[in-house]
Amino acid sequence: MNKYAKFVLMIVFSTVVMFGMMYLNVASVDHVFFSQTRLFMALMMGAVMAIIMLLFMRKMYHNKKVNGMIFLTSVAIFCLSLFMVRSQTAVDDVRWMKAMIPHHSIAVLTSENAQLSNPEVKALAEKIISAQQAEISQMKELIEELESDKR
């Protein structure tokens, strides 16, 4: 395999791994839903990683034309992904809830596991846990309802 193919494979594999890692801090496995926002964030990270690696290892990669294509493609992927994350253009009701469930789950995990000592902070954490769990349940029900209506 030539070194450019390895480079692209390394970036793609790393991007997939980064996408998966974004779910490691959810409180429960049943809070994992596909999130376009997380996908676009992983694509942004992969694009930046490609640029950084290309710059740091430019002595390994001598073809200026291919390097330029990788650089421009990475910049384009980064810009498009950033636009999609910031604008939420492709996010509808169900996609929004599927992105919010892991987000809420992170609040549950951190609130449950933080080493809190102040009684007011502990009370706040308990309120957050209760509210986030209730909202997760509500979103799951709405997702099921909306997806069954589409069938």
Side-chain angles (χ1 to χ4, degrees):
M1 183 183 292
N2 89 30
K3 57 185 161 187
Y4 281 105
K6 276 186 180 176
F7 181 87
V8 171
L9 185 63
M10 183 171 43
I11 297 299
V12 169
F13 183 76
S14 297
T15 301
V16 170
V17 169
M18 285 185 277
F19 175 74
M21 288 178 63
M22 285 189 217
Y23 291 95
L24 293 178
N25 58 348
V26 296
S28 175
V29 171
D30 67 317
H31 296 169
V32 174
F33 286 86
F34 174 77
S35 166
Q36 284 181 319
T37 301
R38 281 177 167 73
L39 173 64
F40 290 126
M41 290 298 296
L43 289 170
M44 286 170 54
M45 289 185 281
V48 169
M49 187 174 62
I51 292 166
I52 291 169
M53 289 175 64
L54 197 59
L55 291 173
F56 272 88
M57 299 187 303
R58 64 183 171 268
K59 290 184 181 179
M60 284 179 60
Y61 301 98
H62 304 289
N63 190 328
K64 289 183 181 185
K65 196 178 218 179
V66 174
N67 293 353
M69 288 179 7
I70 291 170
F71 181 81
L72 290 175
T73 301
S74 297
V75 169
I77 289 170
F78 176 85
C79 290
L80 178 62
S81 296
L82 179 61
F83 170 77
M84 294 304 285
V85 166
R86 301 286 303 168
S87 69
Q88 295 291 292
T89 299
V91 177
D92 61 11
D93 296 340
V94 171
R95 290 180 181 135
W96 177 78
M97 289 185 289
K98 286 183 175 182
M100 290 306 293
I101 290 172
H103 172 76
H104 280 39
S105 185
I106 293 166
V108 171
L109 177 83
T110 57
S111 297
E112 287 176 339
N113 294 336
Q115 304 303 307
L116 306 175
S117 58
N118 181 286
E120 289 179 72
V121 176
K122 281 184 177 181
L124 178 59
E126 288 170 12
K127 282 184 191 176
I128 289 170
I129 292 166
S130 178
Q132 301 297 303
Q133 287 175 332
E135 289 173 7
I136 289 169
S137 294
Q138 183 181 7
M139 286 187 280
K140 284 181 169 183
E141 289 172 14
L142 283 167
I143 290 168
E144 203 170 294
E145 182 182 312
L146 291 171
E147 286 182 337
S148 68
D149 287 349
K150 288 182 182 179
R151 291 181 196 144

